[in-house]
Amino acid sequence: MVDSETPLPKEKHVEEVVDSPVSYAEMKIIQSRKQRLSPYFTIAAAAFGLISDGYQNNLMTMANVVFKKLYPKDYTADVSTRVSNSLLVGAIIGQVLVGIICDRIGRKAALVITTALIVLGATLATAAHGTHGSAVGLFWFLTFARGLTGISQGVGGEYPASSTSASEAANEKMIKQRGPVFIMVTNFVLSFGGPLAVSVFLIVLSSAGENHLQTVWRVCFGVGIALPLTVFYFRIRMLSSMLFKKGAIKRRVPYWLILKRYWKSLMGTCGAWFLYDFITFPNGVFSGTIISSIIHDGDIKRTAEWQLLLGAIALPGVFVGALLCNSLGRRNTMMLGFSGYLIFGLIIGVSYDKIIKIIPLFVIFYGLMQSFGNLGPGDMLGLVSAESYPTPIRQEQQSELKLLPQFKCTLEKTICGTTGILVTYFFVPDMTGVDLADEDAKFMEYLAENGWTGLVGEEEDSNSSLSDKK
């Protein structure tokens, strides 16, 4: 028999539970097992999802080179910038929409929506055509499709949603190694997307040949459809983290109190992320074009091979950052990475006219600069942004501001590196080894002290008010 005071699942009536072949106790055991396994599914889903994002972020690297070859008159610098940056414009929209969905509705809902939109956007981009074969129409179609993909993937939706859920899941199961695990399922797979996209391009190019570049770019875009489909299984199996179930605030969010408590952290994480992306995104999108411009015969295969080397050189920084984030601390590791922009940006900027004549040297220095970027802000920014804020607002703070520049002078990287060090030192908190639940508890105490009352936690699990939690 079921005790009348035993809380029952919201969707079940008493008669249904009594007559069910599965007892309430057995249901609780099954739920408990799912909850134990869910963090691992969540972490795996973040890794698989962000491989797709890394691929999409770097897809235009070689596509820009191909389009310039196929449409030398129509694919002007303005068109190239528009098509490439449409992903980032979509991302700005996605940051707002997905951030709100993730904190107000739930992590799972946001992640399922972003995965579906990535598939839709990638499908439209693969099938893009202009009316009556118009090149102008083709590139406007691509602009729209890439913008839609940007809303859902990368910085727009998938990255902040996946990294938030991954940090909470890692906190439940492996708190001491939360930082390294987080880095390996977020920045590593994102960074791996660069070499992956170029490798796919080289394989398709070798198979189809340079006389079939239309086929080459469409196949490469088509691969971007398949990658996010691998995530749906994990998305369906995942449950909300215990932190979110206990600490979610879905109504009457005290934004003013949040701003008063976390303004300094916001300045640090948003400011550092702005500086990092000011350098990183133009580097990733236009590096193929830069390399192509310094290869005298403009050979597409050679450009791709050098681009692959560039991406490979940038990867070791991810591992170094993962090793240092606990022992050196998040903030110090991030400042170390920004110093790489200062040093290598200065070297490349001062000797630019000479170094571009030696392609291997240019690629190595450029790759080392990107490797330091991965070591520091690339690894740390998602991590410190997830750790610096309590669960009820973690996703919306994780959705960062982006800029859409086409970088023109490597000396600007030096300025950004110096500024990044200062912003990190003065404004970014170091949460190395801190249990995320501790900040949640302090945040609830802060809200209570300031007179805020409201429902906390997911309704299906808890209808408690803030006063009940005191």
Side-chain angles (χ1 to χ4, degrees):
M1 292 295 293
V2 179
D3 188 273
S4 60
E5 296 184 0
T6 302
L8 297 175
K10 191 174 181 179
E11 67 275 15
K12 293 282 187 180
H13 295 291
V14 174
E15 296 81 6
E16 293 175 320
V17 176
V18 172
D19 295 336
S20 174
V22 180
S23 70
Y24 180 67
E26 290 172 326
M27 288 172 57
K28 295 298 287 183
I29 292 172
I30 293 171
Q31 281 186 338
S32 177
R33 186 182 301 124
K34 286 184 177 179
Q35 190 65 57
R36 287 198 305 270
L37 293 176
S38 180
Y40 297 108
F41 281 109
T42 301
I43 291 169
F48 278 88
L50 290 174
I51 285 178
S52 168
D53 289 356
Y55 184 87
Q56 290 290 344
N57 283 339
N58 290 275
L59 200 52
M60 289 303 298
T61 301
M62 291 308 303
N64 276 324
V65 180
V66 170
F67 289 145
K68 187 65 179 175
K69 191 91 170 179
L70 288 172
Y71 307 97
K73 293 182 179 179
D74 297 295
Y75 201 64
T76 63
D78 288 341
V79 174
S80 172
T81 302
R82 186 186 74 222
V83 175
S84 300
N85 286 341
S86 61
L87 190 80
L88 304 183
V89 174
I92 294 172
I93 301 171
Q95 290 156 34
V96 178
L97 296 178
V98 177
I100 293 172
I101 292 171
C102 211
D103 277 346
R104 304 287 81 83
I105 298 176
R107 312 313 196 206
K108 182 176 180 177
L111 287 166
V112 170
I113 290 170
T114 58
T115 305
L117 286 175
I118 292 173
V119 174
L120 177 60
T123 302
L124 290 174
T126 304
H129 276 89
T131 305
H132 306 300
S134 164
V136 174
L138 167 65
F139 295 129
W140 274 113
F141 198 132
L142 273 175
T143 299
F144 170 78
R146 293 290 288 170
L148 181 62
T149 307
I151 292 175
S152 55
Q153 65 87 218
V155 297
E158 180 71 34
Y159 177 74
S162 287
S163 57
T164 297
S165 59
S167 67
E168 293 172 354
N171 192 74
E172 285 185 28
K173 294 297 181 183
M174 49 200 81
I175 185 170
K176 291 184 179 179
Q177 296 302 317
R178 181 181 65 220
V181 170
F182 177 92
I183 289 167
M184 296 310 295
V185 300
T186 55
N187 194 44
F188 169 68
V189 290
L190 277 169
S191 300
F192 181 71
L196 176 63
V198 179
S199 296
V200 169
F201 175 83
L202 280 168
I203 292 169
V204 177
L205 182 66
S206 298
S207 302
E210 292 195 24
N211 293 326
H212 298 87
L213 292 179
Q214 288 281 0
T215 301
V216 171
W217 78 260
R218 290 190 187 275
V219 170
C220 291
F221 274 68
V223 172
I225 304 171
L227 289 174
L229 292 174
T230 62
V231 200
F232 271 118
Y233 173 74
F234 299 104
R235 297 287 193 242
I236 293 169
R237 293 295 302 272
M238 70 176 282
L239 302 174
S240 295
S241 69
M242 293 304 297
L243 283 172
F244 185 75
K245 286 185 175 184
K246 293 177 180 178
I249 298 177
K250 298 188 176 184
R251 298 182 185 87
R252 297 180 57 216
V253 182
Y255 288 110
W256 174 243
L257 291 177
I258 291 167
L259 185 61
K260 282 175 64 178
R261 181 175 175 84
Y262 295 105
W263 68 269
K264 186 176 179 180
S265 297
L266 275 170
M267 287 185 64
T269 52
C270 290
W273 220 323
F274 175 89
L275 293 165
Y276 173 62
D277 286 347
F278 189 87
I279 299 171
T280 300
F281 275 88
N283 277 358
V285 171
F286 298 106
S287 57
T289 305
I290 294 170
I291 293 173
S292 177
S293 68
I294 62 177
I295 293 177
H296 300 298
D297 56 4
D299 184 81
I300 291 180
K301 186 177 180 181
R302 282 191 66 207
T303 300
E305 289 169 345
W306 284 116
Q307 180 64 39
L308 182 60
L309 177 61
L310 177 63
I313 294 173
L315 276 179
V318 179
F319 300 102
V320 177
L323 290 172
L324 293 177
C325 71
N326 282 343
S327 57
L328 192 60
R330 295 6 177 185
R331 184 166 55 193
N332 290 335
T333 303
M334 195 153 87
M335 287 191 293
L336 177 62
F338 270 124
S339 70
Y341 283 150
L342 192 160
I343 296 168
F344 289 103
L346 190 62
I347 292 172
I348 296 172
V350 170
S351 59
Y352 187 78
D353 291 338
K354 295 180 180 178
I355 202 170
I356 60 171
K357 297 175 183 178
I358 311 171
I359 298 175
L361 189 61
F362 175 80
V363 169
I364 289 171
F365 275 106
Y366 214 75
L368 287 173
M369 183 173 64
Q370 290 186 316
S371 191
F372 267 84
N374 279 330
L375 181 159
D379 278 358
M380 297 300 117
L381 275 169
L383 182 58
V384 298
S385 295
E387 293 177 338
S388 299
Y389 307 99
T391 299
I393 58 169
R394 180 169 294 123
Q395 171 63 60
E396 289 169 270
Q397 310 310 320
Q398 184 81 337
S399 297
E400 70 279 10
L401 177 66
K402 298 293 176 184
L403 182 69
L404 311 176
Q406 181 171 357
F407 215 66
K408 296 196 168 42
C409 177
T410 47
L411 282 174
E412 293 180 35
K413 297 176 176 62
T414 304
I415 298 171
C416 287
T418 305
T419 309
I421 293 171
L422 296 174
V423 168
T424 302
Y425 181 79
F426 287 107
F427 295 103
V428 174
D430 196 331
M431 302 289 284
T432 307
V434 176
D435 190 335
L436 299 183
D438 292 345
E439 182 58 32
D440 284 7
K442 294 175 182 177
F443 180 61
M444 293 303 167
E445 290 177 7
Y446 165 75
L447 294 182
E449 289 169 0
N450 284 271
W452 183 86
T453 57
L455 295 177
V456 179
E458 288 195 320
E459 289 185 0
E460 60 267 28
D461 297 306
S462 169
N463 248 343
S464 60
S465 66
L466 181 61
S467 58
D468 296 327
K469 291 181 175 287
K470 290 170 65 178

